[in-house]
Amino acid sequence: MNLDAMVREIVRQELAMLPITQPTDDGWVTCAQTARIWGCSWETAAARLSQPGAPKPERIGKRKMWRRAEVERWK
């Protein structure tokens, strides 16, 4: 194994050990944060959030955001 490969592997292992922090906002989450809460990919979360009966997003600035409580109930 060359030096570059060793460094990449060490960095990969260190990044894997970092905790995924939960957002500390006022109960609003993005689609990416929803994916982390649900433990799925961004694409899966976006598909589920577009289904009938899913929580409706609100525009906060330029972003679509969902209420955390609704997302967790929809889980």
Side-chain angles (χ1 to χ4, degrees):
M1 185 182 292
N2 65 23
L3 182 60
D4 288 337
M6 288 174 48
V7 169
R8 278 195 300 273
E9 180 61 22
I10 291 169
V11 168
R12 187 191 64 75
Q13 290 174 0
E14 292 297 318
L15 288 175
M17 291 190 316
L18 290 175
I20 297 175
T21 58
Q22 293 297 319
T24 58
D25 55 9
D26 297 333
W28 294 93
V29 293
T30 63
C31 187
Q33 292 167 332
T34 299
R36 275 188 239 125
I37 291 169
W38 288 347
C40 63
S41 70
W42 181 92
E43 292 85 3
T44 302
R48 288 181 64 195
L49 288 169
S50 66
Q51 292 177 353
K56 299 294 180 208
E58 293 189 30
R59 288 255 177 217
I60 298 180
K62 294 182 179 183
R63 303 174 86 178
K64 284 184 182 179
M65 306 277 292
W66 289 260
R67 291 192 184 275
R68 176 184 289 279
E70 292 177 10
V71 165
E72 288 175 348
R73 275 196 303 270
W74 182 254
K75 191 177 185 179

XYZ file of all heavy atoms in Angstrom:
606
model
N 0.857 -1.170 0.000
C 0.000 0.000 0.000
C 0.904 1.234 0.000
O 1.791 1.345 0.827
C -0.913 -0.019 1.233
C -1.910 1.103 1.254
S -2.985 1.160 2.704
C -3.992 -0.275 2.514
N 0.644 2.165 -0.919
C 1.471 3.361 -0.967
C 0.998 4.384 0.064
O -0.042 4.226 0.693
C 1.512 3.948 -2.390
C 0.154 4.440 -2.843
O -0.700 4.738 -2.026
N -0.034 4.515 -4.141
N 1.764 5.429 0.210
C 1.493 6.437 1.235
C 0.142 7.122 1.008
O -0.619 7.332 1.962
C 2.623 7.480 1.264
C 2.492 8.573 2.315
C 2.452 7.970 3.706
C 3.633 9.559 2.195
N -0.184 7.472 -0.221
C -1.466 8.132 -0.497
C -2.637 7.252 -0.090
O -3.602 7.724 0.508
C -1.580 8.486 -1.984
C -0.679 9.640 -2.376
O -0.321 10.430 -1.483
O -0.350 9.739 -3.566
N -2.576 5.993 -0.405
C -3.649 5.070 -0.056
C -3.767 4.927 1.459
O -4.881 4.863 2.005
C -3.413 3.710 -0.701
N -2.638 4.900 2.145
C -2.661 4.801 3.611
C -3.305 6.043 4.221
O -4.129 5.937 5.132
C -1.239 4.610 4.154
C -0.682 3.234 3.879
S 1.059 3.032 4.344
C 1.138 3.689 5.968
N -2.947 7.211 3.718
C -3.506 8.453 4.254
C -5.011 8.508 3.998
O -5.789 8.870 4.883
C -2.787 9.678 3.638
C -3.516 10.967 3.959
C -1.351 9.750 4.120
N -5.444 8.131 2.785
C -6.875 8.117 2.487
C -7.625 7.171 3.416
O -8.715 7.473 3.886
C -7.101 7.714 1.030
C -6.941 8.858 0.049
C -7.518 8.518 -1.308
N -6.890 7.363 -1.920
C -5.790 7.403 -2.673
N -5.206 8.547 -2.920
N -5.295 6.302 -3.191
N -7.051 6.010 3.689
C -7.697 5.040 4.569
C -7.790 5.573 5.995
O -8.821 5.417 6.660
C -6.943 3.711 4.533
C -7.538 2.636 5.415
C -8.954 2.255 5.055
O -9.391 2.482 3.898
O -9.654 1.733 5.933
N -6.747 6.200 6.477
C -6.768 6.775 7.832
C -7.820 7.871 7.921
O -8.603 7.924 8.876
C -5.371 7.294 8.224
C -4.410 6.122 8.413
C -5.442 8.161 9.471
C -2.959 6.515 8.552
N -7.872 8.742 6.923
C -8.864 9.819 6.920
C -10.273 9.229 6.869
O -11.177 9.674 7.580
C -8.621 10.783 5.734
C -9.787 11.733 5.544
C -7.332 11.552 5.946
N -10.496 8.203 6.037
C -11.804 7.563 5.944
C -12.227 6.992 7.292
O -13.359 7.147 7.726
C -11.780 6.459 4.887
C -13.154 5.866 4.611
C -13.081 4.615 3.770
N -12.386 3.516 4.428
C -12.892 2.776 5.415
N -14.092 3.028 5.863
N -12.208 1.797 5.951
N -11.295 6.330 7.987
C -11.607 5.747 9.286
C -11.919 6.823 10.317
O -12.842 6.677 11.117
C -10.452 4.877 9.762
C -10.289 3.606 8.976
C -9.035 2.836 9.378
O -8.290 3.257 10.246
N -8.817 1.707 8.719
N -11.154 7.905 10.297
C -11.395 8.996 11.249
C -12.749 9.664 10.993
O -13.474 9.965 11.930
C -10.275 10.039 11.171
C -8.937 9.535 11.681
C -8.967 9.170 13.155
O -9.574 9.909 13.955
O -8.379 8.147 13.519
N -13.083 9.881 9.737
C -14.368 10.491 9.412
C -15.528 9.584 9.806
O -16.581 10.058 10.222
C -14.445 10.825 7.920
C -13.584 11.992 7.459
C -13.653 12.125 5.945
C -13.997 13.290 8.138
N -15.347 8.297 9.669
C -16.402 7.348 10.034
C -16.682 7.377 11.533
O -17.792 7.053 11.959
C -16.017 5.942 9.594
N -15.707 7.758 12.328
C -15.891 7.781 13.784
C -16.511 9.079 14.276
O -16.934 9.156 15.425
C -14.554 7.551 14.486
C -14.036 6.142 14.291
S -12.612 5.685 15.292
C -11.531 7.068 15.179
N -16.605 10.108 13.431
C -17.206 11.371 13.856
C -18.699 11.189 14.038
O -19.362 10.557 13.218
C -16.952 12.465 12.811
C -15.523 12.961 12.682
C -15.420 13.945 11.515
C -15.061 13.624 13.959
N -19.244 11.741 15.104
C -20.687 11.603 15.306
C -21.442 12.475 14.314
O -20.986 13.537 13.924
C -20.890 12.107 16.737
C -19.752 13.041 16.970
C -18.600 12.492 16.166
N -22.601 11.997 13.876
C -23.470 12.813 13.033
C -24.288 13.666 13.980
O -25.056 13.156 14.798
C -24.385 11.938 12.166
C -23.538 11.113 11.211
C -25.393 12.790 11.415
C -24.336 10.136 10.390
N -24.095 14.959 13.885
C -24.798 15.849 14.794
C -26.188 16.144 14.263
O -26.398 16.286 13.064
C -24.029 17.173 14.976
O -23.876 17.784 13.689
C -22.669 16.926 15.581
N -27.109 16.219 15.160
C -28.469 16.578 14.796
C -28.572 18.096 14.735
O -27.901 18.801 15.466
C -29.458 16.032 15.835
C -29.528 14.531 15.858
C -30.042 13.978 14.542
O -30.962 14.499 13.948
N -29.415 12.912 14.081
N -29.407 18.619 13.865
C -29.545 20.065 13.764
C -30.072 20.658 15.060
O -30.853 20.027 15.770
C -30.549 20.264 12.630
C -31.183 18.951 12.428
C -30.266 17.901 12.960
N -29.629 21.842 15.366
C -30.045 22.497 16.605
C -30.931 23.699 16.306
O -30.894 24.685 17.007
C -28.813 22.955 17.408
O -28.041 23.836 16.578
C -27.978 21.787 17.854
N -31.719 23.616 15.233
C -32.567 24.740 14.876
C -33.872 24.677 15.652
O -34.045 23.842 16.527
C -32.799 24.769 13.368
C -33.354 23.451 12.858
O -33.707 22.584 13.661
O -33.425 23.306 11.649
N -34.813 25.522 15.285
C -36.062 25.647 16.030
C -37.139 24.672 15.575
O -38.293 25.032 15.419
C -36.594 27.075 15.899
C -35.658 28.093 16.497
O -34.905 27.725 17.411
O -35.689 29.247 16.063
N -36.761 23.421 15.347
C -37.741 22.433 14.969
C -37.989 22.328 13.481
O -38.965 21.722 13.066
N -37.129 22.894 12.666
C -37.255 22.824 11.215
C -36.107 22.017 10.661
O -34.978 22.137 11.110
C -37.230 24.221 10.594
C -38.415 25.042 10.976
C -38.501 25.909 12.022
C -39.688 25.052 10.345
N -39.758 26.462 12.070
C -40.498 25.956 11.048
C -40.219 24.381 9.248
C -41.823 26.210 10.693
C -41.523 24.636 8.883
C -42.323 25.541 9.602
N -36.392 21.165 9.672
C -35.349 20.345 9.062
C -35.437 20.426 7.541
O -36.509 20.635 6.980
C -35.427 18.870 9.511
C -35.102 18.716 10.974
C -36.790 18.277 9.195
N -34.297 20.242 6.885
C -34.241 20.176 5.432
C -34.472 18.727 5.005
O -34.547 17.827 5.841
C -32.868 20.639 4.918
O -31.881 19.737 5.405
C -32.551 22.055 5.356
N -34.520 18.517 3.707
C -34.686 17.152 3.191
C -33.478 16.292 3.582
O -33.633 15.133 3.964
C -34.866 17.187 1.683
S -35.263 15.584 0.975
N -32.278 16.860 3.500
C -31.076 16.106 3.869
C -31.088 15.730 5.349
O -30.713 14.611 5.723
C -29.828 16.912 3.539
N -31.528 16.638 6.206
C -31.612 16.340 7.629
C -32.698 15.298 7.890
O -32.542 14.442 8.756
C -31.885 17.619 8.418
C -30.720 18.579 8.382
C -31.086 19.966 8.873
O -32.229 20.391 8.763
N -30.100 20.672 9.411
N -33.776 15.356 7.126
C -34.831 14.350 7.236
C -34.285 12.976 6.888
O -34.578 11.990 7.565
C -36.005 14.708 6.307
O -36.535 15.975 6.711
C -37.091 13.660 6.359
N -33.458 12.912 5.848
C -32.851 11.637 5.460
C -32.015 11.068 6.600
O -32.038 9.861 6.855
C -31.994 11.818 4.208
N -31.276 11.931 7.305
C -30.482 11.456 8.447
C -31.377 10.956 9.576
O -31.077 9.943 10.203
C -29.572 12.566 8.961
C -28.290 12.634 8.198
C -27.316 13.595 8.831
N -27.038 14.580 7.790
C -27.171 15.874 7.901
N -27.537 16.407 9.029
N -26.930 16.666 6.897
N -32.484 11.656 9.826
C -33.409 11.236 10.880
C -34.007 9.876 10.540
O -34.118 9.005 11.398
C -34.533 12.288 11.063
C -33.960 13.574 11.658
C -35.653 11.743 11.936
C -34.918 14.746 11.638
N -34.383 9.686 9.278
C -35.005 8.441 8.841
C -33.997 7.349 8.558
O -34.357 6.189 8.394
C -35.842 8.676 7.591
C -37.110 9.448 7.824
C -37.685 9.734 9.020
C -37.948 10.030 6.832
N -38.830 10.459 8.840
C -39.017 10.654 7.505
C -37.900 10.090 5.453
C -40.026 11.320 6.825
C -38.915 10.757 4.786
C -39.965 11.362 5.464
N -32.719 7.690 8.429
C -31.699 6.690 8.135
C -31.776 6.169 6.708
O -31.630 4.973 6.470
N -32.038 7.078 5.768
C -32.141 6.677 4.362
C -31.372 7.676 3.500
O -30.798 8.623 4.020
C -33.608 6.610 3.930
S -34.473 8.184 4.014
N -31.400 7.472 2.205
C -30.713 8.400 1.304
C -31.554 9.655 1.102
O -32.765 9.662 1.360
C -30.451 7.733 -0.048
O -31.675 7.548 -0.737
N -30.921 10.692 0.569
C -31.614 11.935 0.285
C -32.722 11.687 -0.732
O -33.824 12.217 -0.604
C -30.610 12.970 -0.255
C -31.239 14.278 -0.552
C -31.345 15.332 0.303
C -31.852 14.689 -1.775
N -31.992 16.369 -0.306
C -32.317 15.992 -1.593
C -32.060 14.085 -2.990
C -32.976 16.699 -2.588
C -32.721 14.783 -3.981
C -33.166 16.079 -3.775
N -32.428 10.881 -1.750
C -33.399 10.606 -2.797
C -34.643 9.907 -2.241
O -35.776 10.226 -2.607
C -32.772 9.749 -3.912
C -31.718 10.470 -4.716
C -30.333 10.419 -4.074
O -30.160 9.764 -3.018
O -29.425 11.046 -4.626
N -34.440 8.951 -1.340
C -35.561 8.242 -0.724
C -36.396 9.197 0.121
O -37.627 9.173 0.072
C -35.053 7.065 0.133
O -34.302 6.190 -0.705
C -36.186 6.316 0.793
N -35.731 10.057 0.892
C -36.459 11.023 1.724
C -37.267 11.977 0.854
O -38.431 12.258 1.152
C -35.479 11.798 2.604
N -36.667 12.457 -0.239
C -37.377 13.371 -1.138
C -38.602 12.685 -1.749
O -39.680 13.293 -1.857
C -36.436 13.864 -2.229
N -38.450 11.414 -2.124
C -39.571 10.676 -2.702
C -40.687 10.485 -1.674
O -41.872 10.658 -1.996
C -39.095 9.320 -3.225
N -40.317 10.142 -0.461
C -41.333 9.939 0.580
C -42.031 11.240 0.951
O -43.228 11.265 1.219
C -40.701 9.322 1.829
C -40.329 7.859 1.625
C -39.724 7.249 2.856
N -40.689 7.229 3.951
C -40.354 7.015 5.222
N -39.097 6.795 5.546
N -41.270 7.011 6.160
N -41.275 12.354 0.966
C -41.859 13.642 1.315
C -42.777 14.183 0.224
O -43.580 15.074 0.476
C -40.758 14.662 1.624
C -40.031 14.441 2.946
C -38.805 15.330 3.037
C -40.967 14.691 4.121
N -42.675 13.644 -0.989
C -43.542 14.108 -2.069
C -44.812 13.264 -2.194
O -45.666 13.567 -3.023
C -42.775 14.100 -3.395
O -42.454 12.779 -3.765
N -44.941 12.225 -1.383
C -46.128 11.366 -1.429
C -47.336 12.097 -0.837
O -47.184 12.963 0.023
C -45.891 10.081 -0.642
C -44.875 9.164 -1.242
C -44.646 7.935 -0.370
O -45.164 7.839 0.734
N -43.857 7.002 -0.889
N -48.538 11.718 -1.283
C -49.745 12.302 -0.679
C -49.802 11.967 0.816
O -49.483 10.857 1.228
C -50.891 11.611 -1.421
C -50.286 11.070 -2.669
C -48.843 10.795 -2.362
N -50.184 12.924 1.603
C -50.296 12.720 3.041
C -49.017 13.008 3.807
O -49.021 13.017 5.037
N -47.913 13.242 3.105
C -46.639 13.547 3.770
C -46.691 14.974 4.323
O -47.508 15.793 3.879
C -45.491 13.418 2.778
N -45.842 15.262 5.291
C -45.792 16.629 5.813
C -45.509 17.618 4.688
O -44.734 17.342 3.776
C -44.625 16.597 6.803
C -44.424 15.163 7.136
C -44.869 14.388 5.938
N -46.151 18.774 4.752
C -45.972 19.802 3.735
C -44.825 20.737 4.137
O -44.730 21.143 5.287
C -47.249 20.632 3.565
C -48.435 19.812 3.127
C -48.225 19.276 1.735
C -49.413 18.467 1.295
N -49.097 17.454 0.350
N -43.963 21.069 3.176
C -42.864 21.980 3.487
C -43.333 23.433 3.509
O -44.385 23.765 2.971
C -41.901 21.751 2.324
C -42.787 21.404 1.186
C -43.915 20.604 1.797
N -42.542 24.245 4.149
C -42.750 25.686 4.114
C -41.451 26.315 3.629
O -40.377 25.757 3.836
C -43.113 26.207 5.502
C -44.466 25.699 5.968
C -44.920 26.370 7.243
O -44.561 27.542 7.471
O -45.625 25.706 8.009
N -41.570 27.443 2.964
C -40.386 28.154 2.485
C -39.854 29.017 3.618
O -40.561 29.849 4.167
C -40.737 29.035 1.296
C -41.005 28.244 0.059
C -39.830 28.370 -0.851
N -40.080 27.539 -2.035
C -39.138 26.874 -2.629
N -37.917 26.927 -2.198
N -39.403 26.139 -3.676
N -38.599 28.799 3.953
C -37.906 29.650 4.917
C -36.709 30.190 4.165
O -35.759 29.457 3.891
C -37.502 28.872 6.178
C -38.754 28.348 6.871
C -36.673 29.753 7.102
C -38.526 27.563 8.119
N -36.807 31.443 3.768
C -35.796 31.991 2.872
C -35.977 31.332 1.515
O -37.071 31.293 0.966
N -34.924 30.766 0.987
C -34.989 30.078 -0.302
C -35.106 28.570 -0.148
O -35.113 27.842 -1.132
C -33.735 30.398 -1.116
C -33.638 31.842 -1.517
C -32.414 32.082 -2.351
C -32.341 33.524 -2.778
N -31.197 33.782 -3.653
N -35.182 28.083 1.080
C -35.157 26.640 1.321
C -36.530 26.108 1.694
O -37.310 26.780 2.352
C -34.195 26.342 2.470
C -32.807 26.848 2.216
C -31.962 26.651 3.412
N -31.408 25.305 3.368
C -30.576 24.830 4.259
N -30.203 25.562 5.267
N -30.105 23.610 4.141
N -36.778 24.863 1.282
C -37.964 24.145 1.753
C -37.582 23.492 3.070
O -36.563 22.813 3.153
C -38.373 23.062 0.763
C -39.050 23.545 -0.466
C -39.485 22.353 -1.293
C -40.140 22.772 -2.563
N -40.538 21.613 -3.372
N -38.403 23.691 4.087
C -38.131 23.125 5.404
C -39.408 22.458 5.907
O -40.514 22.892 5.615
C -37.698 24.212 6.386
C -36.538 25.071 5.936
S -34.926 24.397 6.220
C -34.757 24.406 7.961
N -39.205 21.401 6.677
C -40.319 20.658 7.274
C -40.227 20.768 8.785
O -39.140 20.830 9.352
C -40.252 19.185 6.875
C -40.588 18.934 5.449
C -41.787 18.500 4.968
C -39.739 19.065 4.310
N -41.725 18.370 3.612
C -40.477 18.716 3.187
C -38.415 19.472 4.128
C -39.950 18.751 1.893
C -37.891 19.499 2.841
C -38.660 19.143 1.751
N -41.369 20.722 9.446
C -41.360 20.718 10.916
C -40.827 19.371 11.391
O -41.263 18.319 10.936
C -42.762 20.934 11.470
C -43.274 22.323 11.222
C -44.520 22.579 12.036
N -45.064 23.865 11.728
C -44.672 25.008 12.302
N -43.734 24.973 13.217
N -45.229 26.144 11.971
N -39.873 19.425 12.315
C -39.227 18.207 12.815
C -40.249 17.240 13.407
O -40.193 16.040 13.157
C -38.171 18.559 13.860
C -37.537 17.317 14.486
C -36.562 17.666 15.576
N -35.374 18.252 15.043
C -34.358 17.558 14.514
N -34.423 16.259 14.461
N -33.308 18.159 14.043
N -41.190 17.724 14.190
C -42.176 16.847 14.841
C -43.005 16.095 13.794
O -43.281 14.908 13.944
C -43.072 17.657 15.761
N -43.390 16.787 12.711
C -44.176 16.127 11.664
C -43.353 15.072 10.943
O -43.860 14.000 10.619
C -44.693 17.169 10.667
C -45.721 18.091 11.245
C -46.169 19.156 10.252
O -45.809 19.057 9.059
O -46.880 20.081 10.676
N -42.082 15.379 10.691
C -41.192 14.429 10.025
C -41.003 13.183 10.881
O -41.050 12.065 10.386
C -39.829 15.104 9.704
C -38.778 14.087 9.356
C -39.993 16.118 8.594
N -40.828 13.368 12.174
C -40.621 12.234 13.062
C -41.897 11.392 13.187
O -41.819 10.169 13.287
C -40.128 12.704 14.425
C -38.685 13.193 14.351
C -38.179 13.787 15.648
O -38.987 14.046 16.562
O -36.955 14.010 15.732
N -43.070 12.019 13.155
C -44.331 11.255 13.181
C -44.529 10.484 11.892
O -45.041 9.367 11.899
C -45.528 12.199 13.395
C -45.807 12.501 14.843
C -47.188 13.087 15.010
N -47.391 14.298 14.219
C -47.134 15.538 14.637
N -46.665 15.730 15.850
N -47.374 16.561 13.857
N -44.118 11.055 10.759
C -44.280 10.425 9.450
C -43.311 9.261 9.283
O -43.511 8.398 8.448
C -44.084 11.476 8.360
C -44.275 10.984 6.973
C -43.290 10.750 6.064
C -45.497 10.653 6.317
N -43.829 10.312 4.879
C -45.188 10.240 5.015
C -46.819 10.660 6.711
C -46.149 9.841 4.102
C -47.780 10.279 5.806
C -47.445 9.871 4.518
N -42.271 9.214 10.068
C -41.211 8.197 10.000
C -41.823 6.838 9.913
O -41.513 5.960 9.235
C -40.340 8.319 11.231
C -39.067 7.540 11.199
C -38.307 7.844 12.460
C -36.957 7.209 12.468
N -36.200 7.493 13.651
